[in-house]
Structures are given as structure tokens and as C-alpha cells.
Amino acid sequence: MGDRPIAVVAGASGFVGSAVVSALVDDGYEVRRIGRSAQYRWDDAQAIARAVDGAALLVNLAGKSVNCRYTDANRDEILRSRTETTRALREAVAAAAHPPAVWLNASTATIYRHAMGRPQSEAGGEVGTGFSVDVARAWEREFFAGDLPHTRRVALRMAIVLGDGPATNMLFTLARVGLGGPQFDGWWMPHRRYRGIGANPTGDGRSPWHRSKGRQRFSWIHIDDVVAAIRFVRDRDGISGPVNLSSPHPSDNRTLMRTLRRAVGMPIGLPAWRWMLEPAMWLLRTEPELVLKSRWVVPGMLTEAGFTFRHPHLEPAVRELTTR
């Protein structure tokens, strides 16, 4: 065991974390897990310091799922579970006698604005406003704070990950039960669930809506490409800062839902307007924002660095998932 490189993975029990741990074990790493019920716990700062010291690689995927209602309690926990865990890891790395050479920290492509006119890359993307964006900004600010001269840091701005995870399962379920039509944004009674959060909240506090007509962009990435991108970034010293993890071929909502219907063999899919989605998502205990925000993100840095996607196109990627 002592001859194997050490990888520390926080959030190892989640959908993405499980896949990453499996890949790192295949790569020959001894994997140390940090989590609420893992071998190294968040409430033990000394244990986290021991885990990080001497590691070759640190991967942080910790954070409460956003597949929930944005109640005040959930909003606070979504923010806290990202910033406090990242801060704890940063303090451990700063204090380590032998800090990891590479630290890959989860972030989100939701940091970019609602985009219908052009794609958002790392170089030219525009940061948005409101709750989800403020969480992403605070997360990355905590990650890049301070001076860690011996550790290269990369923020993985992940699009929606397709695989055996909550977002994909919800979309497949909608398609299977005949509700896999396009989703249309529109006016809804004002609420404040999407208002900004943190020390400097952004936006005007109102719930945004757009007449996207089911053409809101859908940026995605297959779980296999998430794992491959993590390996790729780990092995290239010239890559640092924010990196978009998304397919080079984003889709839109209409195309996504039509593709899902074909994949599950459902000939019909009822369309849903926001006035239908709001009560339906309340029953499902999640948020319409997950399907109505236009996320148009492209992987500028990965493409420029020569990364090859195994699943660049939506329909083959979706069909591959149905065989699993």
C-alpha cells in the first residue's frame, strides 16, 4: 500500500464520486475518502489534515444535491455544504508538509447566465445572477482563496451529468410516463426562492422567466467523459483555473426530450408550460429551474488541450445509458 500514490476524494459516495473512486482505484491509487460517514469525517479537522498530507491528488465533489426545493433551509445547506467543505480542505492543504500536487474541485456550469444567443466558454462566458450563480461564485472564491504554491487548482464547472444520477433518472421518468414533451418557460406568480445568497447577493430578488419556447439550451456531459476529463486534467500541468466539463455539442430542451422519448420507446410526450411545471415540481420536491434555465456551455479549455470525448453527441450518449 505504501508504494501506491494516494488520492483523496471528498463526496465519494455520490453518483459522480463513486465513478471517480472506481477509476482512481483502477489507476492504482490508494483512495482515502472524506465524508459524513467515511473513514475521514468532516467534523474531524485533524483527520482531514492526515488524509491530505502526502496525497498526490485531491478531488472534492462534496455538496448537497440541488435536486430539491429551494427552501430557506435547503438554500443555506446548499451553500454551506460547498463552501465550508472547500474551506476545510484548503486549510488542510495549506498546513500540509507534503501537499497534493493537484486539487480538482467541483463547480458548476450554472455559474454562467441564462444564455440563448451564444455559448459560454471559460474565456468569454458571462457570469449570471441569483441564487445558483451566487452559490457557484462563493464556492469558487473559497476554492481559489489564499496561496497554495505547491498545489495546482482546477475548478470543474460541470454541466448536467448524464448517467445513473438524479437528474438523468428524473428526465427518463418523465419520458417513460408520457410527460417527455418540451418544457415552456413563462410567467408565474412571483416568489423569492431564486434570490441571491451570501455576503453579496446578486440579482433583484425576483424570480426570472424567459419566453424560450422550449428552445432553452441543454448543456450536458456523459459520466464516462467526466471521469476521462478528470484524468486528462490531472495529467496536464498546464491546465489550471476554471474548466468547463460539458459536451462540445450542447442540445436544446425540445431535442433532449424527443431523444429521451425515442430511447425509451414512448411515442408521445405531453408538453409542459411553467404553470404546469410549478405544481408538478413542488410535488416532486425539486425546482423548475433545473429544466427551464438555458445553459449553453462549451468546453473551450478541454478542446484546446486536445481532449477527445467518448460521447460527444446526445442521442448516442442517451442510447448508451439505456443499455446500462
Side-chain angles (χ1 to χ4, degrees):
M1 294 286 285
D3 295 333
R4 297 165 63 188
I6 295 168
V8 177
V9 181
S13 62
F15 155 55
V16 176
S18 298
V20 170
V21 167
S22 179
L24 293 176
V25 170
D26 289 344
D27 290 346
Y29 285 89
E30 172 193 345
V31 177
R32 297 174 179 173
R33 298 165 175 83
I34 301 176
R36 287 174 295 180
S37 57
Q39 62 194 122
Y40 300 93
R41 295 171 54 90
W42 288 116
D43 57 4
D44 189 341
Q46 292 183 342
I48 294 173
R50 290 195 302 271
V52 167
D53 200 359
L57 172 67
L58 171 59
V59 182
N60 179 27
L61 303 166
K64 176 179 172 59
S65 172
V66 297
N67 186 26
C68 64
R69 294 295 287 179
Y70 292 170
T71 63
D72 287 352
N74 283 341
R75 281 164 44 91
D76 290 343
E77 181 60 15
I78 287 170
L79 178 62
R80 186 209 64 79
S81 64
R82 286 159 173 75
T83 56
E84 290 189 7
T85 53
T86 301
R87 184 183 310 124
L89 292 172
R90 180 168 51 78
E91 291 172 351
V93 171
H98 303 285
V102 187
W103 178 6
L104 310 180
N105 207 77
S107 181
T108 173
T110 302
I111 196 170
Y112 299 111
R113 65 172 175 83
H114 178 100
M116 296 286 289
R118 68 175 181 85
Q120 307 292 297
S121 67
E122 300 92 339
E126 300 172 64
V127 174
T129 59
F131 169 66
S132 297
V133 172
D134 286 352
V135 169
R137 290 169 59 242
W139 200 2
E140 291 193 5
R141 186 166 55 247
E142 193 66 61
F143 176 51
F144 288 116
D147 186 23
L148 302 178
H150 304 294
T151 301
R152 174 167 58 94
R153 288 178 277 186
V154 180
L156 305 173
R157 291 180 174 174
M158 278 185 270
I160 292 176
V161 180
L162 298 185
D164 190 18
T168 308
N169 291 336
M170 179 187 71
L171 291 169
F172 270 118
T173 297
L174 291 174
R176 287 190 180 101
V177 301
L179 299 177
Q183 285 106 27
F184 299 99
D185 201 354
W187 182 88
W188 179 250
M189 292 177 289
H191 62 78
R192 291 178 53 78
R193 298 193 308 276
Y194 301 161
R195 68 190 185 279
I197 195 172
N200 298 291
T202 62
D204 57 13
R206 294 180 293 181
S207 51
W209 61 275
H210 309 267
R211 295 195 184 279
S212 51
K213 300 180 180 179
R215 292 297 183 189
Q216 62 268 28
R217 305 296 295 190
F218 177 76
S219 290
W220 60 277
I221 184 169
H222 192 287
I223 183 62
D224 291 349
D225 284 324
V226 171
V227 172
I230 285 174
R231 285 169 161 157
F232 184 87
V233 171
R234 173 198 65 192
D235 296 338
R236 281 157 179 80
D237 293 340
I239 297 179
S240 62
V243 173
N244 291 346
L245 265 58
S246 60
S247 162
H249 301 290
S251 183
D252 64 17
N253 180 262
R254 286 176 180 267
T255 304
L256 165 69
M257 301 313 294
R258 184 170 62 246
T259 301
L260 290 169
R261 294 197 303 272
R262 282 201 293 256
V264 301
M266 173 55 71
I268 63 169
L270 298 177
W273 284 262
R274 187 167 202 137
W275 62 267
M276 302 163 64
L277 282 170
E278 286 283 353
M281 293 301 196
W282 178 81
L283 288 172
L284 293 171
R285 308 312 298 160
T286 189
E287 287 290 343
E289 180 188 58
L290 300 179
V291 294
L292 293 179
K293 179 174 179 178
S294 185
R295 298 171 175 87
W296 193 353
V297 181
V298 290
M301 291 191 68
L302 285 178
T303 301
E304 291 172 9
F307 178 74
T308 301
F309 286 84
R310 289 179 57 185
H311 305 281
H313 298 285
L314 180 64
E315 183 147 4
V318 168
R319 291 196 175 278
E320 191 276 339
L321 291 174
T322 64
T323 67
R324 294 196 175 192

